[in-house]
Amino acid sequence: MSAEIQDRVVDRSKMNVSDEVAIQITNMNKWYGDFHVLRDINLTVQRGERIVIAGPSGSGKSTMIRCINRLEEHQKGQIIVDGTELSSDLKNIDKIRSEVGMCFQHFNLFPHLTILENCTLAPMWVRKTPKKEAEELAMHFLEKVKIPDQANKYPGMLSGGQQQRVAIARSLCMQPRIMLFDEPTSALDPEMIKEVLDTMVTLAEEGMTMLCVTHEMGFARQVADRVIFMDQGQIVEQNEPEEFFNNPKSERTKLFLSQIL
Ligand code: ADP
Ligand code: MG
């Protein structure tokens, strides 16, 4: 499972973590009805930091990262993104969403739009970027994810790995300062996982602040500054990758690692 990017030497020269706080989560709690899904989450993410979030299915990983761009609403505690607090204030939500890109397990491309149109839609309608400029931006990011030649095709004509790279390019077209990934390779065939991880490594090398829910522990070892382990709605343990994998502290982390490694 962890062999996919081992042939790539990760360039950490620009992967500096700054003192600036990108995301500050304080005593955050969330319920789905009566179900207490997130319990007292405290997490500070520095600008330029790359965090991998691991944990068993149902532990609240998706819910936590979805709270960061308000796809889910928390009920208690505080989430501050780039200095703006997530509250019911719609202006704040719009601001944060324009700074935080998200990439899901299922790519969620618009099937009736071409790859290029998928990438230009939000910049044109949300940012009011003129069409020509939006297209230039889209081509720039399609080149970055190595599929500029697919620009005029429809999503259904592309492989899963290509579609996921389009989804990443589409997010980048909004020029986010933070990228959230929720199991971006889980729905892909093994031979396509590497090309998507490669794209994510490139983003990491360029200094993007990233939170990635993933089971790709090779990626975590090579790219993450910190691995966070969640279980039953709580952050149970967090550490730099070497320590996390070689010297896990809690029994729950040890059990999890013994099952996936
Ligand atoms: P993970 O991503 O770690 O697998 P999730 O955040 O998706 O976990 O889910 C955490 C828990 O919350 C699970 O028990 C799940 O069944 C529950 N859950 C997720 N979404 C909803 C929802 N919309 N309504 C009610 N329960 C939910
Ligand atoms: Mg999930």
Side-chain angles (χ1 to χ4, degrees):
M1 177 183 275
S2 56
E4 287 80 9
I5 58 170
Q6 276 177 1
D7 57 341
R8 168 147 181 195
V9 178
V10 176
D11 174 9
R12 296 195 73 98
S13 64
K14 287 188 199 152
M15 292 170 63
N16 300 322
V17 176
S18 93
D19 292 339
E20 193 184 325
V21 173
I23 302 170
Q24 176 91 57
I25 303 179
T26 313
N27 294 329
M28 191 261 281
N29 285 263
K30 173 169 178 60
W31 287 260
Y32 286 122
D34 292 338
F35 177 53
H36 197 173
V37 58
L38 294 175
R39 295 164 181 266
D40 293 322
I41 301 288
N42 287 288
L43 177 66
T44 304
V45 182
Q46 306 297 128
R47 170 95 43 228
E49 200 176 6
R50 287 141 294 261
I51 291 184
V52 161
I53 301 164
S57 176
S59 56
K61 306 180 297 296
S62 295
T63 304
M64 185 174 83
I65 66 164
R66 289 166 66 85
C67 282
I68 295 172
N69 67 352
R70 199 64 167 200
L71 290 175
E72 296 289 352
E73 192 177 328
H74 63 286
Q75 280 85 35
K76 198 173 147 211
Q78 203 178 35
I79 304 177
I80 300 175
V81 182
D82 279 335
T84 301
E85 181 173 358
L86 270 178
S87 59
S88 46
D89 187 334
L90 293 176
K91 270 207 299 278
N92 286 2
I93 295 173
D94 278 352
K95 178 167 185 291
I96 287 170
R97 288 212 181 130
S98 74
E99 289 173 14
V100 180
M102 178 137 187
C103 183
F104 305 88
Q105 180 174 354
H106 301 288
F107 336 117
N108 302 348
L109 297 174
F110 298 109
H112 59 291
L113 298 181
T114 66
I115 300 310
L116 188 67
E117 288 163 349
N118 264 278
C119 291
T120 56
L121 190 70
M124 283 171 61
W125 291 99
V126 180
R127 285 261 158 86
K128 311 291 178 211
T129 307
K131 185 172 182 210
K132 186 162 177 294
E133 206 178 301
E135 286 180 350
E136 281 167 10
L137 196 65
M139 289 311 296
H140 169 78
F141 287 114
L142 288 171
E143 271 159 36
K144 184 187 267 307
V145 303
K146 303 198 173 84
I147 33 175
D149 46 326
Q150 309 293 327
N152 296 315
K153 294 190 183 166
Y154 287 87
M157 300 159 83
L158 272 56
S159 73
Q162 289 174 322
Q163 289 189 55
Q164 189 61 292
R165 284 183 286 150
V166 172
I168 294 172
R170 181 176 63 172
S171 291
L172 294 176
C173 284
M174 288 295 279
Q175 299 181 285
R177 303 186 78 190
I178 298 167
M179 281 290 294
L180 309 175
F181 292 89
D182 193 358
E183 300 200 29
T185 59
S186 297
L188 299 177
D189 293 335
E191 67 270 23
M192 291 168 194
I193 291 177
K194 184 180 179 307
E195 64 192 41
V196 172
L197 289 179
D198 258 337
T199 302
M200 292 168 65
V201 172
T202 302
L203 272 185
E205 284 172 335
E206 292 174 351
M208 179 66 84
T209 307
M210 296 165 71
L211 271 80
C212 312
V213 177
T214 180
H215 300 300
E216 294 296 334
M217 294 299 132
F219 175 81
R221 274 181 191 276
Q222 277 189 289
V223 173
D225 299 291
R226 191 157 37 128
V227 182
I228 286 180
F229 176 71
M230 289 184 70
D231 194 20
Q232 296 179 7
Q234 287 176 306
I235 295 179
V236 174
E237 181 165 347
Q238 48 182 309
N239 221 326
E240 56 181 72
E242 276 306 301
E243 273 296 295
F244 180 82
F245 290 111
N246 298 342
N247 192 17
K249 303 276 183 294
S250 84
E251 292 308 315
R252 285 192 273 179
T253 314
K254 287 177 194 169
L255 177 66
F256 175 75
L257 290 174
S258 72
Q259 287 163 347
I260 62 155
L261 293 178

